[in-house]
Amino acid sequence: MFGLKPDAALELPENYYVLDDYEKGIARWCDGCGDHAVLASVQKLCREEQLDPVKTVFVSGIGCSSRFPHYMNTYGFHGLHGRAFPVACGIKHRRPDLDVFVITGDGDCCSIGAGAWIHAIRYNVNLTVMLFNNEIYGLTKKQQSPTSRIGTVSNTTPRGSILPPLDPMQVTLGVANASFVAQTADWNPAHMHATIKAAHAHKGFSFVHILQRCPIFQPELVNELTSNRDNICYLKDDNGITVSEDIEKTFKHSAPHDPSDINGARQLAASEEKIYLGLFYQGKNKENYDDYGAHNLGVTVEEKTAMLNAEFDKYGI
Amino acid sequence: MSVTTELKEKVTQKGNKAIRLSEHIVEIVSDSGEGAQKCGQSFASISAKMGNGVWTVEIIPAEIQPPARTREGASGIRIRIGSEKVTNMGNEANLVVAFNEQVPYGRIDQSAYTEGTIMLIESKWAEEASDSIRESYAEALKDFNERGYEVIEVPMEKECLKLVKNPRKGKNMWVLGMLCEIYSRDIGRAEAQIKQIFRKKSDTIINSNIDLLHAGYKWAKENLDFEYEITPMELDEQLVVMNGNEAVGMGVIASGMEVCSMYPITPATSASHYLADVFESAGGVVHQAEDEIAAVGFAIGSSYSGKTAVTITSGPGIALKTEFLGLAAMAEVPLVIVDVQRGGPSTGLPTKVEQSDLLAILYGQTGDAPKIVMAMATIEECFHFVILARKIADSFRTPVYLLTDANLATGQQPFARPKIQRDWFAPPVDQSPWKEGVTPFNWDPETGLSKRPIPGQSGGIYTLTGLAHDTKGKVSYNPDNNQKTSELRSKKLATFKRTLKPPTINGEESGDLLIVSWGSTLGSIEEAVGLAQKEGLKVSSIHLRFLSPLEPGLKEIFSRFKKVMTIEINYSDKADADGITEDNRRYAQLAWILRARTLVDVDCYSNVMGQPLSPKKVLREIKQRINK
Ligand SMILES: Cc1ncc(C[n+]2csc(CCOP(=O)(O)OP(=O)(O)O)c2C)c(N)n1
Ligand SMILES: [Mg+2]
């Protein structure tokens, strides 16, 4: 290794992971797709946190974004459309040692998977969840999504969609036991990275709503979001998502917000004036369903046999 | 001597000793919520503990609170007690305890009673304030007499009122006392049973129920002129008695599975109730998911990252789980699915028995989704098959389906106390390094088998996908790869089939008629076939436990019989029904499969009356077919 003496190498941690260790294959997303940026950020997070690839699992549904696990050199579960949450909860339930991430799209999460999504928030299992919201169905080629704005022209709404969009932030903040709810944008890599990192550090269902670019099916929206700095507002708080001063300066607007204030968070989410980026809400000491799942691991065969024999005694003749 | 003549003689010869019987069928029917089932289950347990053969069938109305005093509301239980092992619910009841005069009609509609059936009926209705109730009571009694039942009026509530304020609540234990006296049951065991069922209640409640038990016993002694004795078996082994869902629950524990992920649905739920009560102390957890899709998804996630998990459901739940079950087949995730079948389609008959999910289970997925399917025939198998299913799921890296039904779920039967074996329990989750050079889908070309990596195993990294994939688990749309991997997944069934033996034939190896059956009908069918054989008919039967792959050797066995037919509890067109021809007749579910598998013209008898089959009905069918 570049002239390093073997004894010098010993000073490195036994297994120091580099970015390469988390990369697999070539991501087959379109040029300019926001998914590339998220992938890079997540791989960087893995290296920064030195996550053991063998103990890390990426779970997804179906969609362009849900291809994500195939590009991570970790364990992965690319399952069914809308069903990443139950699978991820099942994986984590008896494996507290695994670090589990969920990748889901706006159709995957907010439409077909809406039921599972709501309940997953309530279970508050220790998962890092990234919702890739491009406000459109990508994989199936441009149909409206529940998060599409009114007037979205798509292949199923050629004259423009007519219903108001569902806001994933308001929904999540409305569910009992919500514990970490943040919003970021893929075209601000520094903010996105800080957000994902904070989400990963949180114990519980850490929900990161990522505004994600789809330049192929939503070019005008991408243009509007990325060029109009008036709309976007940075949420500033010491307990929130913090970025360097340089990055902070890239925001035209910023506003204070205490992330322990859930009502304030709901108001921000409901605001039609601005899109706020940052940590909306973080609740501590919430019930984690996976704590229950793992509470009785390791019962031995002898103990099970004794327990069953006691049952047979009860039912014995 | 029929029971009726026995009884009549008895009544005229007071003071005689108890009449010895080889078996009796008792029913307790009431409005729902009057505790008839608790009474009957206790009576069955006491009898089983005394060494009698026992089989129970619950009589369950579809609604939780059906209107009182109606035939639709008939709720209760049938208990068949014998000197030998009892394998089914039998034919008509010998003795019925009825809490009002309307509920027996719910059973009369099902031909559950016959001339000579003794009916012990609550007499308080004769003194009701309401004219219409008094009239309908008198009318029914007249009708029961005309039908030839031996009607005996019993002042149940009146007697209970001497001890308790609310006789509606304690009446069932008073009736238990009465039955214990009639059938010469050990009153000490009955007391112990009451202590067991009310163990979570206060001493006051326990004592009050014991008082009622004794009062019922005493009343019967003083007022009834007949007493029976059903000689118990010589027990040379230890037995346990439980219902099929409890047996499934214990099987889950004994299999070493640690996650049961479910969504409540009748008649499957009580298996999870049982587990919820005791599973934690055996290192397990029950997850009640938000729906069946999530339930199976959770189970699959759990299996993928650790020990094989189980999901327990019934027909409508199976329908919802379909897409995930396809994923389990495609991605080869071991999983145990228990389907406690009920009447379908749709919400159907939630509390009644049917064997209607077979084709849905076999063919419910899109594409080719090979799987292993087993059906339990007895309560004992409800226990042992779960253990076997878990092992098969692990070794064949596949979903394994267990088909049980409403009849087994709630029926109680004693069976040999299982001798727990170490190798029943799933081994700890493998976290040793994955063998270098071995791919995550390293299919053996001969058997289709491969071993799966589990997250945490170094060197085993892969992304599980429901998309077509190659040996590395990588998405592949290559035509040859898809053809080949489909063949490999299918091959596992051929491999598994090589481990199976042809079914044993109940009766002669050849003859005029062969009955083929599956699931909970075993007892009735073998009893009927036995009777037919005694009458000299050349009929035999086989009972299948493995439905996918089918047990081997069927075609050869079929070739030795002039006719082959299935008997099942699901829908089929009757061959001679109006408008039904050979060209359009729809067959019972197993019959379809056997016809396709063997190219033999397999006939069938089936119905969807929501009832277990009685031996009498089966015998009638045998005679009809054999004479045709
Ligand atoms: C049960 C089922 N229904 C429909 C589909 C087809 N389908 C695949 S992805 C998708 C929508 C994807 O949109 P989204 O979740 O927003 O992900 P994106 O592609 O935009 O990242 C649909 C409808 C499917 N795979 N499964
Ligand atoms: Mg989308």
Side-chain angles (χ1 to χ4, degrees):
Chain A
M1 252 202 274
F2 300 121
L4 270 181
K5 282 184 286 175
D7 53 346
L10 286 177
E11 282 164 30
L12 288 169
E14 212 183 314
N15 229 337
Y16 186 82
Y17 300 109
V18 295
L19 267 186
D20 253 14
D21 290 321
Y22 301 102
E23 291 168 4
K24 191 164 78 186
I26 298 151
R28 301 248 180 94
W29 292 305
C30 308
D31 284 347
C33 171
D35 295 1
H36 292 290
V38 188
L39 179 64
S41 178
V42 168
Q43 285 168 340
K44 196 170 128 207
L45 170 86
C46 289
R47 190 205 51 203
E48 283 163 8
E49 302 295 334
Q50 284 295 295
L51 302 188
D52 182 352
V54 162
K55 294 267 195 184
T56 307
V57 188
F58 280 81
V59 183
S60 65
I62 298 289
C64 293
S65 41
S66 286
R67 276 297 184 113
F68 197 102
H70 289 286
Y71 309 132
M72 291 297 304
N73 190 28
T74 63
Y75 277 93
F77 193 115
H78 178 211
L80 298 183
H81 191 31
R83 314 294 168 206
F85 292 119
V87 170
C89 291
I91 289 172
K92 185 72 185 166
H93 208 51
R94 304 284 284 178
R95 290 296 304 267
D97 57 320
L98 296 180
D99 209 329
V100 183
F101 293 76
V102 175
I103 307 294
T104 181
D106 44 310
D108 200 59
C109 177
C110 310
S111 190
I112 191 168
W117 168 37
I118 298 216
H119 291 280
I121 299 164
R122 179 170 164 260
Y123 296 139
N124 194 25
V125 168
N126 193 7
L127 305 171
T128 306
V129 179
M130 284 165 264
L131 165 56
F132 290 54
N133 186 3
N134 52 10
E135 303 184 22
I136 201 79
Y137 284 16
L139 191 71
T140 45
K141 308 230 181 314
K142 200 178 185 185
Q143 296 84 22
Q144 65 167 338
S145 141
T147 61
S148 300
R149 289 153 206 232
I150 292 183
T152 299
V153 173
S154 78
N155 285 317
T156 48
T157 53
R159 288 163 294 284
S161 62
I162 53 177
L163 293 174
L166 173 156
D167 172 26
M169 296 300 279
Q170 287 186 69
V171 173
T172 307
L173 286 163
V175 177
N177 216 24
S179 78
F180 183 103
V181 190
Q183 183 157 272
T184 187
D186 76 55
W187 57 92
N188 191 329
H191 187 269
M192 176 166 71
H193 191 71
T195 310
I196 295 173
K197 200 161 175 162
H200 180 255
H202 173 80
K203 185 182 179 223
F205 186 91
S206 315
F207 183 75
V208 183
H209 180 213
I210 303 173
L211 311 181
Q212 178 234 323
R213 292 163 295 163
C214 177
I216 305 295
F217 297 135
Q218 293 275 50
E220 283 153 37
L221 178 66
V222 168
N223 193 31
E224 144 83 16
L225 283 171
T226 54
S227 57
N228 185 350
R229 289 166 65 235
D230 279 333
N231 272 344
I232 308 256
C233 179
Y234 166 64
L235 289 181
K236 197 174 151 103
D237 189 274
D238 285 347
N239 294 320
I241 308 298
T242 48
V243 291
S244 69
E245 262 175 47
D246 287 349
I247 299 296
E248 207 182 314
K249 275 188 208 141
T250 64
F251 289 99
K252 204 165 158 191
H253 307 280
S254 79
H257 170 66
D258 172 5
S260 67
D261 172 12
I262 194 155
N263 287 325
R266 286 173 181 151
Q267 271 168 14
L268 290 176
S271 156
E272 306 222 331
E273 281 163 38
K274 293 252 173 326
I275 298 168
Y276 297 95
L277 300 189
L279 182 56
F280 279 48
Y281 177 67
Q282 183 168 25
K284 303 260 161 78
N285 304 321
K286 299 255 176 173
E287 200 60 50
N288 297 111
Y289 187 52
D290 46 332
D291 285 349
Y292 164 72
H295 84 282
N296 59 351
L297 288 168
V299 173
T300 64
V301 168
E302 288 71 26
E303 288 166 325
K304 290 184 185 191
T305 305
M307 178 273 172
L308 259 182
N309 270 323
E311 281 302 289
F312 291 151
D313 288 345
K314 258 205 265 172
Y315 289 80
I317 286 176
Chain B
M1 206 181 342
S2 81
V3 180
T4 331
T5 36
E6 272 177 341
L7 173 71
K8 281 189 176 145
E9 274 179 27
K10 191 69 223 146
V11 172
T12 50
Q13 302 167 25
K14 284 186 181 179
N16 256 14
K17 283 211 299 207
I19 302 166
R20 207 168 278 272
L21 302 169
S22 62
E23 68 150 70
H24 233 214
I25 298 172
V26 181
E27 274 196 12
I28 308 164
V29 278
S30 68
D31 285 340
S32 98
E34 292 192 302
Q37 279 152 7
K38 199 175 260 178
C39 171
Q41 281 154 359
S42 305
F43 184 62
S45 282
I46 298 161
S47 299
K49 287 176 180 168
M50 288 178 69
N52 287 112
V54 166
W55 184 277
T56 70
V57 187
E58 289 191 2
I59 301 156
I60 312 170
E63 298 163 55
I64 297 207
Q65 282 293 358
R69 296 175 41 77
T70 57
R71 58 179 71 193
E72 304 78 52
S75 164
I77 187 163
R78 161 179 286 218
I79 312 109
R80 186 178 179 194
I81 314 170
S83 295
E84 310 266 324
K85 190 172 165 197
V86 180
T87 63
N88 64 82
M89 65 151 193
N91 301 313
E92 295 91 354
N94 302 105
L95 182 142
V96 178
V97 181
F99 285 23
N100 67 55
E101 83 290 351
Q102 291 304 316
V103 284
Y105 282 107
R107 301 294 297 150
I108 290 169
D109 289 346
Q110 320 241 5
S111 315
Y113 310 147
T114 185
E115 214 186 315
T117 296
I118 301 165
M119 187 177 282
L120 296 157
I121 187 161
E122 164 69 84
S123 62
K124 72 165 189 164
W125 309 107
E127 289 152 38
E128 272 296 300
S130 144
D131 288 345
S132 72
I133 291 185
R134 281 202 316 277
E135 275 160 27
S136 80
Y137 178 71
E139 228 167 78
L141 250 57
K142 190 162 154 263
D143 179 48
F144 295 157
N145 277 310
E146 279 167 15
R147 288 171 185 266
Y149 307 160
E150 303 284 341
V151 180
I152 302 168
E153 293 181 85
V154 181
M156 303 178 197
E157 292 206 0
K158 206 168 180 178
E159 288 296 317
C160 292
L161 264 174
K162 294 177 182 169
L163 294 166
V164 292
K165 282 205 196 86
N166 180 2
R168 242 198 119 212
K169 273 212 143 164
K171 191 156 61 165
N172 61 342
M173 291 297 122
W174 189 90
V175 168
L176 178 63
M178 175 176 78
L179 288 172
C180 285
E181 199 281 335
I182 295 174
Y183 288 95
S184 320
R185 306 285 88 172
D186 179 349
I187 194 78
R189 281 191 194 274
E191 276 190 28
Q193 188 68 29
I194 287 183
K195 284 180 189 153
Q196 157 74 14
I197 51 182
F198 293 106
R199 65 189 180 279
K200 290 175 183 165
K201 298 277 161 65
S202 70
D203 280 355
T204 328
I205 291 181
I206 293 175
N207 291 333
S208 146
N209 278 292
I210 289 177
D211 290 346
L212 285 163
L213 173 85
H214 283 288
Y217 192 91
K218 186 157 168 274
W219 184 89
K221 187 124 217 143
E222 289 167 359
N223 294 282
L224 296 178
D225 287 350
F226 56 100
E227 240 175 62
Y228 299 123
E229 208 171 278
I230 302 167
T231 322
M233 295 173 276
E234 294 287 330
L235 294 182
D236 49 5
E237 57 178 352
Q238 281 189 304
L239 301 182
V240 284
V241 60
M242 64 187 72
N243 69 37
N245 274 358
E246 286 163 337
V248 164
M250 286 189 206
V252 168
I253 299 170
S255 75
M257 288 189 282
E258 290 177 353
V259 171
C260 166
S261 178
M262 51 72 72
Y263 186 79
I265 185 166
T266 305
T269 320
S270 67
S272 307
H273 289 180
Y274 172 74
L275 280 173
D277 204 21
V278 303
F279 206 11
E280 285 180 14
S281 60
V285 283
V286 174
H287 168 56
Q288 178 180 330
E290 58 271 26
D291 57 40
E292 280 92 348
I293 300 177
V296 68
F298 189 100
I300 287 173
S302 188
S303 279
Y304 160 83
S305 70
K307 290 184 180 174
T308 293
V310 62
T311 185
I312 306 180
T313 189
S314 190
I318 287 290
L320 282 183
K321 288 172 204 272
T322 303
E323 192 189 7
F324 256 127
L325 294 173
L327 174 73
M330 180 61 149
E332 303 187 61
V333 182
L335 183 72
V336 176
I337 304 102
V338 181
D339 177 8
V340 187
Q341 298 167 96
R342 63 190 224 177
S346 188
T347 315
L349 298 171
T351 60
K352 311 278 187 201
V353 62
E354 250 179 52
Q355 304 177 308
S356 283
D357 295 353
L358 178 58
L359 294 178
I361 292 282
L362 286 173
Y363 304 117
Q365 280 75 46
T366 50
D368 186 50
K371 69 209 41 151
I372 288 166
V373 182
M374 301 157 70
M376 305 71 161
T378 63
I379 311 272
E380 185 172 17
E381 288 179 358
C382 285
F383 175 79
H384 289 284
F385 277 22
V386 183
I387 301 166
L388 185 57
R390 197 281 301 161
K391 278 195 187 179
I392 298 170
D394 276 344
S395 4
F396 285 79
R397 196 175 179 180
T398 179
V400 179
Y401 296 70
L402 293 170
L403 293 173
T404 151
D405 64 36
N407 186 22
L408 292 172
T410 57
Q412 293 203 54
Q413 191 193 27
F415 61 89
R417 178 180 170 131
K419 290 186 188 63
I420 301 165
Q421 290 164 28
R422 238 196 127 75
D423 71 349
W424 286 355
F425 298 94
V429 178
D430 190 357
Q431 292 290 282
S432 65
W434 186 253
K435 219 167 132 198
E436 216 178 309
V438 176
T439 59
F441 292 91
N442 190 36
W443 294 290
D444 174 53
E446 298 298 314
T447 61
L449 298 180
S450 60
K451 204 171 162 273
R452 67 181 176 122
I454 294 174
Q457 286 194 281
S458 61
I461 280 176
Y462 77 114
T463 291
L464 178 145
T465 178
L467 287 164
H469 48 271
D470 60 18
T471 67
K472 291 183 179 146
K474 277 204 161 145
V475 176
S476 165
Y477 300 134
N478 177 296
D480 291 334
N481 179 73
N482 198 46
Q483 179 65 29
K484 191 166 150 259
T485 54
S486 297
E487 280 167 16
L488 286 162
R489 285 189 298 271
S490 179
K491 212 163 217 179
K492 291 195 286 185
L493 294 198
T495 304
F496 182 70
K497 187 154 179 165
R498 287 201 289 276
T499 70
L500 298 178
K501 289 198 210 85
T504 41
I505 300 174
N506 168 42
E508 296 294 329
E509 300 283 308
S510 62
D512 292 337
L513 177 65
L514 178 74
I515 308 284
V516 190
S517 52
W518 64 285
S520 69
T521 53
L522 171 72
S524 293
I525 288 173
E526 291 202 337
E527 186 170 323
V529 167
L531 290 171
Q533 287 165 347
K534 269 193 199 137
E535 291 183 25
L537 300 180
K538 291 189 164 57
V539 55
S540 302
S541 61
I542 56 174
H543 198 79
L544 301 179
R545 267 75 173 189
F546 288 92
L547 299 158
S548 170
L550 276 169
E551 289 165 38
L554 296 181
K555 188 165 185 162
E556 193 277 321
I557 295 174
F558 291 4
S559 72
R560 295 187 246 132
F561 290 83
K562 285 192 192 137
K563 283 183 191 165
V564 182
M565 72 180 290
T566 69
I567 294 186
E568 308 175 53
I569 310 178
N570 52 43
Y571 184 77
S572 64
D573 291 330
K574 303 222 171 358
D576 55 3
D578 256 3
I580 296 303
T581 63
E582 220 181 289
D583 195 36
N584 67 13
R585 181 177 179 203
R586 296 170 68 238
Y587 285 82
Q589 301 200 358
L590 177 62
W592 276 127
I593 300 167
L594 295 178
R595 291 171 70 86
R597 175 87 276 163
T598 63
L599 298 181
V600 170
D601 187 8
V602 176
D603 198 356
C604 60
Y605 167 78
S606 69
N607 72 39
V608 284
M609 320 259 274
Q611 295 297 308
L613 294 175
S614 68
K616 197 170 170 177
K617 211 173 233 171
V618 175
L619 185 58
R620 200 172 55 212
E621 277 314 310
I622 291 174
K623 286 182 175 169
Q624 261 180 25
R625 299 296 159 123
I626 235 166
N627 294 332
K628 245 186 215 166

